[in-house]
Amino acid sequence: NLDDELPNETTTGTSAEGNIEITVKYVPPQLPANPTPGYEAAAVSINEDYLKEVKAEDLSVALVEAIRDGESKATARVAEKYKELEEDMKNIMGGMAAGPQ
């Protein structure tokens, strides 16, 4: 089941030339209360040298960029997994429609 498999995968979003990395995890739909899947930031890594020099406003922008990058990559990965499932289902259903050989 993809909703069990996908939350175990992580995706890393980056920004500020790789100085910020944010690990993003898929959150499956929680029916019926929250029927829409989503993502959550699971970890943040910031290069110490970068952190010493960056302005707060620039850090804030970079963090948002890293989160969006991670969510974008995670969305693409989820879509890829569902496409694989769709292809598998087509193969199974196609094989059933053809009947025994």
Side-chain angles (χ1 to χ4, degrees), residues 33-82:
N34 187 7
T36 306
Y39 303 94
E40 67 179 28
V44 177
S45 175
I46 302 173
N47 178 293
E48 286 188 40
D49 293 330
Y50 171 77
L51 187 58
K52 289 176 187 174
E53 298 176 10
V54 69
K55 294 178 185 172
E57 182 178 312
D58 294 336
L59 177 61
S60 178
V61 169
L63 285 166
V64 170
E65 288 174 357
I67 291 169
R68 287 185 180 154
D69 182 54
E71 288 177 347
S72 176
K73 289 176 181 175
T75 298
R77 182 69 181 136
V78 168
E80 181 181 308
K81 286 287 204 176
Y82 274 100

